[in-house]
Amino acid sequence: MVQGQSLRESSQAIASYTYQKMLSLSMKDVIRLKKKTVWLFVVGSMGAYIRYCFLHIRIFFNSSQKKEKKIASFAIKLLRQYFGYRGIVYRRTLLPKEPSQKPLLILTLRYHPLSSLLIHQGFDFPVLIPLAEGLKKFRFHYKIPLYFMQKMLQKIAYPDGDLGMLLPDIKSAVKGGYSMVVYINNGYKKNGNPEPLLAHKELLTLLNIPNCTIVFLRLDGIENYPLATYLSKITITPHLEDCASVLMGITEKSPQSDTLSAISEFFFQDGYVMCE
């Protein structure tokens, strides 16, 4: 928990330093940075479009399984470019470079409408993510055709909805060897909200899904996401921890309150999680 607090303090300090630095810039420096931003955006966009053209040629000659991998890999690159221009510095070095022998079941909070896409681009291997209905037509690169965007999102995402209805599909996907992200809370986590975070009642069922490695993921610094720009970047630090480590000392016979208390300690400095 001490480590988690230090990560939060570091992200807040970085955001404060960036803001103070922006205030000290002269008008000449601001104009220069804006020109540099436009130039990098144009060059990056053309590079992405060229990779898109080559991708179409390559997947034409590959099997369906290889096509899916290449499309998923391209989606990761595009999302990294999008969030980079958005002003997000995501510390991917703290995440595993490849999946373990078992697929990962990543339990996290619904922080922001785009947080699942942010989580996806942080991994170097395909991870299924929950995607809200309104984001199916989300176009994170203006030069790539919308139909191809939708095709990519279909390969990396599943519909975000009621966990009770999604639970059979989650179990089936994990059994099939797919790593995936699952939101454990209803609605979005509100910053500074003293009320308890309401988790899905199926949370305890998720903790007992076999044939996978269950981990918890916290995004330190994501509360500063609305403040991010290319000229004033913010750092988001993913903190991944094994379920056994988070629930250390808790057994199947332990009361539900002990399990929720341990999960609360991982996600919050103040506040707590309770089931429906």
Side-chain angles (χ1 to χ4, degrees):
M1 194 62 187
V2 174
Q3 183 183 3
Q5 291 176 354
S6 63
L7 287 172
R8 292 189 186 96
E9 291 170 358
S10 298
S11 63
Q12 291 172 0
I14 291 171
S16 176
Y17 170 77
T18 305
Y19 179 70
Q20 294 297 329
K21 187 176 180 181
M22 286 298 299
L23 290 178
S24 65
L25 290 176
S26 65
M27 183 58 67
K28 185 178 180 180
D29 292 330
V30 172
I31 294 173
R32 179 176 55 83
L33 285 172
K34 283 185 177 180
K35 288 181 178 179
K36 183 179 179 181
T37 302
V38 172
W39 182 82
L40 288 173
F41 178 76
V42 171
V43 173
S45 298
M46 290 304 298
Y49 184 71
I50 292 171
R51 288 199 300 270
Y52 157 74
C53 295
F54 274 106
L55 177 67
H56 258 291
I57 297 172
R58 291 172 66 185
I59 64 177
F60 181 78
F61 297 101
N62 288 322
S63 64
S64 58
Q65 187 175 6
K66 287 186 177 180
K67 286 179 183 179
E68 290 186 3
K69 289 183 178 180
K70 290 185 182 298
I71 290 173
S73 176
F74 186 59
I76 291 174
K77 292 177 181 177
L78 281 184
L79 286 169
R80 286 179 179 175
Q81 186 182 70
Y82 169 79
F83 285 110
Y85 287 132
R86 181 68 180 78
I88 305 298
V89 179
Y90 195 78
R91 298 183 64 185
R92 298 193 303 272
T93 54
L94 301 178
L95 297 173
K97 297 297 181 184
E98 55 186 37
S100 56
Q101 295 179 350
K102 295 181 179 180
L104 290 177
L105 181 60
I106 305 164
L107 307 182
T108 189
L109 301 181
R110 189 184 279 101
Y111 291 99
H112 185 275
L114 298 182
S115 59
S116 61
L117 294 173
L118 180 65
I119 291 170
H120 179 78
Q121 60 86 40
F123 291 95
D124 292 325
F125 52 90
V127 175
L128 292 178
I129 56 172
L131 195 70
E133 182 70 24
L135 290 177
K136 285 186 177 180
K137 294 184 178 181
F138 176 63
R139 194 169 183 175
F140 46 86
H141 195 288
Y142 76 100
K143 280 188 173 292
I144 307 299
L146 181 60
Y147 82 91
F148 191 77
M149 288 282 190
Q150 293 175 319
K151 187 175 181 180
M152 282 194 300
L153 291 176
Q154 289 174 0
K155 298 294 183 184
I156 66 174
Y158 64 92
D160 185 16
D162 181 69
L163 188 57
M165 298 180 64
L166 292 173
L167 199 55
D169 293 331
I170 292 172
K171 290 180 178 179
S172 178
V174 169
K175 188 177 180 180
Y178 290 95
S179 295
M180 61 191 313
V181 175
V182 177
Y183 289 139
I184 66 172
N185 62 310
N186 287 313
Y188 292 97
K189 176 185 177 296
K190 297 180 181 179
N191 298 327
N193 189 356
E195 296 182 1
L197 186 75
L198 192 62
H200 291 288
K201 58 186 178 182
E202 292 81 10
L203 171 59
L204 299 181
T205 305
L206 284 174
L207 300 178
N208 296 310
I209 292 181
N211 305 317
C212 64
T213 301
I214 301 175
V215 296
F216 287 94
L217 175 66
R218 183 181 70 238
L219 300 180
D220 292 329
I222 196 168
E223 64 274 6
N224 298 319
Y225 185 93
L227 304 176
T229 67
Y230 186 81
L231 299 179
S232 179
K233 299 180 183 293
I234 62 108
T235 300
I236 296 177
T237 305
H239 184 66
L240 200 70
E241 193 163 336
D242 187 80
C243 179
S245 177
V246 173
L247 303 180
M248 186 178 297
I250 295 175
T251 64
E252 294 181 357
K253 296 181 179 180
S254 300
Q256 175 179 309
S257 58
D258 289 353
T259 303
L260 296 178
S261 177
I263 295 173
S264 301
E265 188 176 349
F266 173 76
F267 281 112
F268 303 109
Q269 285 180 304
D270 301 308
Y272 55 97
V273 176
M274 62 182 294
C275 279
E276 296 174 322

